[in-house]
PDB file of all heavy atoms in Angstrom:
ATOM      1  N   LEU Z  63     -60.929 -69.016 117.604  1.00 93.00           N
ATOM      2  CA  LEU Z  63     -60.770 -69.585 118.944  1.00 93.00           C
ATOM      3  C   LEU Z  63     -61.944 -70.492 119.306  1.00 93.00           C
ATOM      4  O   LEU Z  63     -61.762 -71.579 119.852  1.00 93.00           O
ATOM      5  CB  LEU Z  63     -60.627 -68.466 119.988  1.00 93.00           C
ATOM      6  CG  LEU Z  63     -59.310 -67.701 119.981  1.00 93.00           C
ATOM      7  CD1 LEU Z  63     -59.410 -66.447 120.853  1.00 93.00           C
ATOM      8  CD2 LEU Z  63     -58.174 -68.590 120.457  1.00 93.00           C
ATOM      9  N   LEU Z  67     -61.941 -74.647 120.033  1.00 90.00           N
ATOM     10  CA  LEU Z  67     -62.317 -75.176 121.355  1.00 90.00           C
ATOM     11  C   LEU Z  67     -62.695 -76.646 121.301  1.00 90.00           C
ATOM     12  O   LEU Z  67     -62.452 -77.387 122.251  1.00 90.00           O
ATOM     13  CB  LEU Z  67     -63.507 -74.398 121.925  1.00 90.00           C
ATOM     14  CG  LEU Z  67     -63.228 -73.115 122.666  1.00 90.00           C
ATOM     15  CD1 LEU Z  67     -64.539 -72.472 123.090  1.00 90.00           C
ATOM     16  CD2 LEU Z  67     -62.331 -73.343 123.853  1.00 90.00           C
ATOM     17  N   ARG Z  75     -57.832 -76.609 126.344  1.00 92.00           N
ATOM     18  CA  ARG Z  75     -59.153 -75.973 126.236  1.00 92.00           C
ATOM     19  C   ARG Z  75     -59.256 -74.802 127.203  1.00 92.00           C
ATOM     20  O   ARG Z  75     -59.778 -73.743 126.849  1.00 92.00           O
ATOM     21  CB  ARG Z  75     -60.261 -76.990 126.494  1.00 92.00           C
ATOM     22  CG  ARG Z  75     -61.666 -76.399 126.320  1.00 92.00           C
ATOM     23  CD  ARG Z  75     -62.740 -77.465 126.474  1.00 92.00           C
ATOM     24  NE  ARG Z  75     -64.064 -76.907 126.531  1.00 92.00           N
ATOM     25  CZ  ARG Z  75     -64.860 -76.692 125.498  1.00 92.00           C
ATOM     26  NH1 ARG Z  75     -64.455 -77.004 124.284  1.00 92.00           N
ATOM     27  NH2 ARG Z  75     -66.055 -76.170 125.651  1.00 92.00           N
ATOM     28  N   ALA Z  76     -58.738 -74.979 128.411  1.00 93.00           N
ATOM     29  CA  ALA Z  76     -58.757 -73.892 129.393  1.00 93.00           C
ATOM     30  C   ALA Z  76     -57.953 -72.693 128.891  1.00 93.00           C
ATOM     31  O   ALA Z  76     -58.363 -71.541 129.066  1.00 93.00           O
ATOM     32  CB  ALA Z  76     -58.205 -74.378 130.733  1.00 93.00           C
ATOM     33  N   THR Z  77     -56.828 -72.958 128.230  1.00 95.00           N
ATOM     34  CA  THR Z  77     -56.011 -71.872 127.666  1.00 95.00           C
ATOM     35  C   THR Z  77     -56.780 -71.147 126.565  1.00 95.00           C
ATOM     36  O   THR Z  77     -56.785 -69.908 126.506  1.00 95.00           O
ATOM     37  CB  THR Z  77     -54.686 -72.436 127.114  1.00 95.00           C
ATOM     38  OG1 THR Z  77     -53.983 -73.069 128.176  1.00 95.00           O
ATOM     39  CG2 THR Z  77     -53.831 -71.344 126.512  1.00 95.00           C
ATOM     40  N   LEU Z  78     -57.439 -71.913 125.691  1.00 93.00           N
ATOM     41  CA  LEU Z  78     -58.232 -71.292 124.627  1.00 93.00           C
ATOM     42  C   LEU Z  78     -59.392 -70.481 125.193  1.00 93.00           C
ATOM     43  O   LEU Z  78     -59.697 -69.395 124.693  1.00 93.00           O
ATOM     44  CB  LEU Z  78     -58.766 -72.352 123.661  1.00 93.00           C
ATOM     45  CG  LEU Z  78     -57.782 -72.905 122.633  1.00 93.00           C
ATOM     46  CD1 LEU Z  78     -58.440 -73.986 121.789  1.00 93.00           C
ATOM     47  CD2 LEU Z  78     -57.241 -71.803 121.751  1.00 93.00           C
ATOM     48  N   LEU Z  79     -60.026 -71.008 126.238  1.00 94.00           N
ATOM     49  CA  LEU Z  79     -61.116 -70.267 126.874  1.00 94.00           C
ATOM     50  C   LEU Z  79     -60.615 -68.948 127.459  1.00 94.00           C
ATOM     51  O   LEU Z  79     -61.297 -67.922 127.368  1.00 94.00           O
ATOM     52  CB  LEU Z  79     -61.793 -71.112 127.956  1.00 94.00           C
ATOM     53  CG  LEU Z  79     -62.737 -72.195 127.449  1.00 94.00           C
ATOM     54  CD1 LEU Z  79     -63.144 -73.134 128.577  1.00 94.00           C
ATOM     55  CD2 LEU Z  79     -63.971 -71.568 126.800  1.00 94.00           C
ATOM     56  N   ALA Z  80     -59.420 -68.969 128.046  1.00 95.00           N
ATOM     57  CA  ALA Z  80     -58.830 -67.742 128.599  1.00 95.00           C
ATOM     58  C   ALA Z  80     -58.523 -66.749 127.477  1.00 95.00           C
ATOM     59  O   ALA Z  80     -58.774 -65.543 127.612  1.00 95.00           O
ATOM     60  CB  ALA Z  80     -57.571 -68.067 129.395  1.00 95.00           C
ATOM     61  N   GLU Z  81     -57.990 -67.253 126.351  1.00 95.00           N
ATOM     62  CA  GLU Z  81     -57.720 -66.384 125.197  1.00 95.00           C
ATOM     63  C   GLU Z  81     -59.019 -65.799 124.648  1.00 95.00           C
ATOM     64  O   GLU Z  81     -59.070 -64.624 124.276  1.00 95.00           O
ATOM     65  CB  GLU Z  81     -57.011 -67.167 124.098  1.00 95.00           C
ATOM     66  CG  GLU Z  81     -55.567 -67.475 124.370  1.00 95.00           C
ATOM     67  CD  GLU Z  81     -54.929 -68.245 123.218  1.00 95.00           C
ATOM     68  OE1 GLU Z  81     -55.180 -67.899 122.035  1.00 95.00           O
ATOM     69  OE2 GLU Z  81     -54.184 -69.200 123.509  1.00 95.00           O
ATOM     70  N   LEU Z  82     -60.049 -66.616 124.600  1.00 94.00           N
ATOM     71  CA  LEU Z  82     -61.349 -66.159 124.110  1.00 94.00           C
ATOM     72  C   LEU Z  82     -61.913 -65.082 125.027  1.00 94.00           C
ATOM     73  O   LEU Z  82     -62.414 -64.054 124.562  1.00 94.00           O
ATOM     74  CB  LEU Z  82     -62.313 -67.338 123.994  1.00 94.00           C
ATOM     75  CG  LEU Z  82     -63.716 -67.019 123.493  1.00 94.00           C
ATOM     76  CD1 LEU Z  82     -63.671 -66.413 122.097  1.00 94.00           C
ATOM     77  CD2 LEU Z  82     -64.566 -68.284 123.495  1.00 94.00           C
ATOM     78  N   GLU Z  83     -61.829 -65.299 126.320  1.00 95.00           N
ATOM     79  CA  GLU Z  83     -62.318 -64.303 127.290  1.00 95.00           C
ATOM     80  C   GLU Z  83     -61.559 -62.987 127.124  1.00 95.00           C
ATOM     81  O   GLU Z  83     -62.161 -61.908 127.138  1.00 95.00           O
ATOM     82  CB  GLU Z  83     -62.165 -64.829 128.721  1.00 95.00           C
ATOM     83  CG  GLU Z  83     -62.678 -63.887 129.786  1.00 95.00           C
ATOM     84  CD  GLU Z  83     -64.173 -63.618 129.692  1.00 95.00           C
ATOM     85  OE1 GLU Z  83     -64.932 -64.508 129.284  1.00 95.00           O
ATOM     86  OE2 GLU Z  83     -64.584 -62.474 130.035  1.00 95.00           O
ATOM     87  N   ASP Z  84     -60.244 -63.079 126.932  1.00 95.00           N
ATOM     88  CA  ASP Z  84     -59.432 -61.883 126.730  1.00 95.00           C
ATOM     89  C   ASP Z  84     -59.850 -61.157 125.448  1.00 95.00           C
ATOM     90  O   ASP Z  84     -59.963 -59.926 125.431  1.00 95.00           O
ATOM     91  CB  ASP Z  84     -57.945 -62.259 126.673  1.00 95.00           C
ATOM     92  CG  ASP Z  84     -57.058 -61.057 126.497  1.00 95.00           C
ATOM     93  OD1 ASP Z  84     -57.134 -60.126 127.330  1.00 95.00           O
ATOM     94  OD2 ASP Z  84     -56.277 -61.043 125.521  1.00 95.00           O
ATOM     95  N   ALA Z  85     -60.091 -61.900 124.386  1.00 95.00           N
ATOM     96  CA  ALA Z  85     -60.525 -61.294 123.122  1.00 95.00           C
ATOM     97  C   ALA Z  85     -61.886 -60.627 123.275  1.00 95.00           C
ATOM     98  O   ALA Z  85     -62.137 -59.563 122.694  1.00 95.00           O
ATOM     99  CB  ALA Z  85     -60.558 -62.348 122.015  1.00 95.00           C
TER     100      ALA Z  85
END
Side-chain angles (χ1 to χ4, degrees):
L63 288 168
L67 275 177
R75 183 175 171 91
T77 300
L78 282 178
L79 284 169
E81 286 181 42
L82 180 60
E83 182 63 33
D84 181 56

